[in-house]
Amino acid sequence: MLDILLNQTLIFGLFGGLGLFLFGMKIMSEGLQKVAGDKMRKILSALTANRFISTLVGLSVTAIIQSSSATTVMVVGFVNAGLMSLYQAIGVVLGANIGTTITAQLIAFKITAYALPAIGAGTALKLFSRNRKWVYAGEILLGFGILFFGLATMKEAFEPVKTSVEFRDMFLLVGDHYLLGVFIGAVLTIIVQSSTATLGITLALATSGIISFEASVVLILGENIGTTITANLAAIGTNLAARRTALAHFLFNLIGVAYMVAFLPIFMNLVDMITPGAADFVIETQNQAASFGGSVGDKPFIARHIANTHTLFNIINTLIFLPMIGILAKLSTLLIRGKDVEMEYHLKYIDSRVLNTPPIALGQARAETRRMAQMTLEMLEGTIEFLADNNDKSIPALEKKEEAVDLLQREITDFLVALSQQSISQDSSKDIASLMHMVNDLERVGDHCENLWRLGLRRKGEKVTFSEIANAEIQEIGEKSKDFLSFTVQALERQDKTIQEKASFMEEEIDQLEETFRNNHIARLNTSECAVDPGLIFVDMLHNFEKIGDHTFNVTRAIIGQK
């Protein structure tokens, strides 16, 4: 038995095949995300409190990215950011469990013979095509081919153990002891962090004739529990709602597996009814028949049975729990007690847990950038008000906003740098560069606001008085700067790329005001209407407002796509 387990062909084939399987899944998933990135954002934006729509969203997104773990991790991130309620999140998770079964259905088709041609065609498209869509199609095809080649490699690796009575007896225990099989399936999934990978191992064992359909079913049930661990690990360090979402996912699958094990014979009969062929029908070889009385050989129908088992379990479980989402939410709230303490300034949208899903990560970065822009506008409005009334009670709030803008600039930039290192499309790469320019220019606007209120504090501390004309001019250029930034923030919200002409006009208007008011000041100096000390502060204020206009214009260029 030990010699069998230590067999070099088995070890190398299993680990190499599993590595190819996981790598193929990754490439295929990334290709699908690049093709369907915009669709994913639109699907997620359709979320409502309606449990059926939330479930359809979860199903659709998971079908697109081919990973329920990725979907649930995204959902945990959204709940943590306050973008999604616990009620909505549970609906998405229910749908994700059905969506992930599409992979199993694809794998169950007898197309492993086409793995190498798919790899060849996919590589050719990826390396030699000039059209981005064909490149992405090549990635999908390449990933698909590598995935099936890995599956075939794992199946071939089990050939040496097919003649081992001890190895077969060990797996007979799984069929006889359901809870042991569930435990093994869950542990394997936790180790490889992919229920699809564990499903691939199960398919390789089953189609090779090593394990029975009954043993396959309990392993699959265990895999459904193991896949929930990823989301629970991602929820560590998040807020209460996010941890409750991850727990709800675990409870949903755990309870589902519990009642399914209790009614396993009925469930297996249902799968047999909807699936053609006998699950444990064996195509025997002459040597196998002689050695084992015809009990060992390949099973041609079991792959489809396994895929249907996976799909049917999740459909039944979802239909049962769909009317009980509220109860599931209350149960997870009961088990994880407490109340979240809201921070005034913190990252709200971006979450590093979704970096492996670039379209979603890019959407989060945009949302955080819009929030940063809004906060910068509020800081400019507060600064203009302070310069008008000289009430320094507003300074602590302005300082907090300035710190928050600095924080957002650092965090968004770090997030975008990490995102740029993922496998992303050319369009996404351009969007990342534009967002980096935006956050840097918005941070510079914040710096100039800080300069302005510090000049105001200096004016107040030194008891410097502006003439009425000077005060009016500061307010006028301030209002123009505010209007320009407000116009830009609204354009950013709408993703309006038709703003170039108006943005150029507004920026030029601020430049002309700065030049006119500076010349007016020089004229007042010459006629002794204005003193030197107030004049220095006045000119510095004009300069800062002019710079705010310049950086705001840079933001508009980034929105248009010129930066």
Side-chain angles (χ1 to χ4, degrees), residues 118 126 160 180 188 224 297 312 325 329 360 386 402 408 429 488 513:
K126 181 171 173 57
L180 175 63
L188 275 174
N224 278 278
L312 193 60
I325 286 179
I360 302 298
F386 167 69
E402 204 278 330
L408 289 174
S429 183
T488 303
L513 282 178

Side-chain angles (χ1 to χ4, degrees), residues 411-432:
E411 294 295 336
I412 295 172
T413 301
D414 289 346
F415 184 77
L416 290 171
V417 168
L419 179 56
S420 68
Q421 294 167 356
Q422 303 291 318
S423 177
I424 57 174
S425 66
Q426 191 173 347
D427 287 340
S428 295
S429 183
K430 288 179 181 177
D431 287 343
I432 288 170

Side-chain angles (χ1 to χ4, degrees), residues 492-529:
L492 180 59
E493 292 280 352
R494 301 189 308 270
Q495 284 295 298
D496 188 351
K497 297 183 183 295
T498 63
I499 59 172
Q500 184 172 8
E501 186 176 344
K502 187 169 182 180
S504 298
F505 172 79
M506 295 180 85
E507 196 266 343
E508 181 64 29
E509 191 175 25
I510 292 170
D511 287 348
Q512 288 177 356
L513 282 178
E514 190 268 344
E515 183 179 359
T516 300
F517 293 162
R518 186 160 32 85
N519 290 335
N520 290 348
H521 166 68
I522 293 170
R524 289 195 296 272
L525 277 176
N526 291 334
T527 58
S528 300
E529 292 178 56

Side-chain angles (χ1 to χ4, degrees), residues 102-210:
I102 291 173
T103 312
Q105 294 291 343
L106 292 172
I107 293 171
F109 285 112
K110 300 291 183 181
I111 53 177
T112 48
Y114 301 102
L116 290 176
I119 292 171
T123 301
L125 286 171
K126 181 171 173 57
L127 294 181
F128 304 117
S129 179
R130 294 183 180 180
N131 186 302
R132 282 202 302 274
K133 289 184 179 179
W134 284 110
V135 171
Y136 302 154
E139 288 183 11
I140 296 168
L141 199 57
L142 175 61
F144 205 64
I146 293 174
L147 183 153
F148 278 100
F149 187 68
L151 187 63
T153 303
M154 283 193 287
K155 183 180 175 184
E156 189 178 332
F158 286 121
E159 287 295 325
V161 302
K162 288 171 73 171
T163 55
S164 168
V165 176
E166 294 92 339
F167 197 82
R168 287 174 54 77
D169 287 344
M170 182 180 73
F171 276 102
L172 281 175
L173 286 173
V174 174
D176 294 336
H177 299 85
Y178 296 159
L179 294 181
L180 175 63
V182 170
F183 177 76
I184 291 172
V187 170
L188 275 174
T189 307
I190 292 168
I191 291 170
V192 299
Q193 289 287 290
S194 170
S195 61
T196 306
T198 317
L199 182 71
I201 296 172
T202 304
L203 277 167
L205 285 165
T207 54
S208 298
I210 296 172

Side-chain angles (χ1 to χ4, degrees), residues 276-509:
D280 286 319
F281 173 76
V282 178
I283 297 177
E284 303 160 0
T285 65
Q286 188 174 357
N287 291 338
Q288 290 164 345
S291 302
F292 293 93
S295 61
V296 180
D298 288 346
K299 297 182 177 180
F301 302 118
I302 199 168
R304 179 57 54 201
H305 278 75
I306 289 172
N308 288 348
T309 297
H310 192 34
T311 302
L312 193 60
F313 163 72
N314 283 290
I315 289 175
I316 291 172
N317 208 25
T318 298
L319 290 175
I320 288 172
F321 276 97
L322 201 54
M324 299 189 293
I325 286 179
I327 296 172
L328 200 57
K330 287 178 182 177
L331 182 58
S332 60
T333 303
L334 188 67
L335 292 173
I336 300 180
R337 297 176 178 273
K339 188 176 181 180
D340 270 328
V341 179
E342 288 291 323
M343 293 175 59
E344 188 176 357
Y345 299 115
H346 64 296
L347 292 172
K348 187 174 181 182
Y349 298 115
I350 63 174
D351 193 315
S352 59
R353 296 173 182 84
V354 302
L355 280 171
N356 289 328
T357 313
I360 302 298
L362 192 58
Q364 288 190 349
R366 284 200 186 99
E368 202 71 75
T369 302
R370 289 194 294 268
R371 178 169 169 254
M372 180 184 178
Q374 185 60 46
M375 198 176 293
T376 306
L377 176 60
E378 291 170 6
M379 185 163 40
L380 178 57
E381 289 171 345
T383 300
I384 294 169
E385 287 177 13
F386 167 69
L387 294 179
D389 59 23
N390 278 330
N391 185 357
D392 53 13
K393 289 182 180 179
S394 61
I395 296 301
L398 289 171
E399 288 176 338
K400 279 189 177 181
K401 276 193 169 64
E402 204 278 330
E403 288 172 8
V405 167
D406 285 349
L407 167 73
L408 289 174
Q409 188 262 346
R410 288 194 303 271
E411 294 295 336
I412 295 172
T413 301
D414 289 346
F415 184 77
L416 290 171
V417 168
L419 179 56
S420 68
Q421 294 167 356
Q422 303 291 318
S423 177
I424 57 174
S425 66
Q426 191 173 347
D427 287 340
S428 295
S429 183
K430 288 179 181 177
D431 287 343
I432 288 170
S434 292
L435 286 172
M436 283 184 174
H437 283 298
M438 277 186 216
V439 296
N440 287 331
D441 280 300
L442 288 169
E443 191 272 337
R444 293 296 295 136
V445 170
D447 287 346
H448 288 295
C449 287
E450 183 182 14
N451 292 344
L452 282 164
W453 81 62
R454 296 207 181 283
L455 285 168
L457 288 172
R458 177 182 156 195
R459 180 180 67 176
K460 186 175 182 179
E462 295 176 4
K463 297 182 179 178
V464 171
T465 304
F466 282 1
S467 65
E468 289 185 11
I469 295 175
N471 279 323
E473 287 176 343
I474 288 294
Q475 285 300 303
E476 185 176 351
I477 195 171
E479 287 298 322
K480 291 291 183 185
S481 301
K482 184 184 74 174
D483 291 344
F484 188 19
L485 185 57
S486 177
F487 165 77
T488 303
V489 170
Q490 290 171 19
L492 180 59
E493 292 280 352
R494 301 189 308 270
Q495 284 295 298
D496 188 351
K497 297 183 183 295
T498 63
I499 59 172
Q500 184 172 8
E501 186 176 344
K502 187 169 182 180
S504 298
F505 172 79
M506 295 180 85
E507 196 266 343
E508 181 64 29
E509 191 175 25

Side-chain angles (χ1 to χ4, degrees), residues 74-95:
M74 274 193 291
V75 168
V76 167
F78 290 157
V79 175
N80 187 51
L83 301 176
M84 191 182 292
S85 69
L86 176 61
Y87 191 88
Q88 286 176 318
I90 293 174
V92 175
V93 167
L94 296 185

Side-chain angles (χ1 to χ4, degrees), residues 56-81:
L56 285 173
V57 166
L59 194 159
S60 304
V61 171
T62 307
I64 290 169
I65 65 177
Q66 291 291 290
S67 173
S68 62
S69 293
T71 303
T72 50
V73 168
M74 274 193 291
V75 168
V76 167
F78 290 157
V79 175
N80 187 51

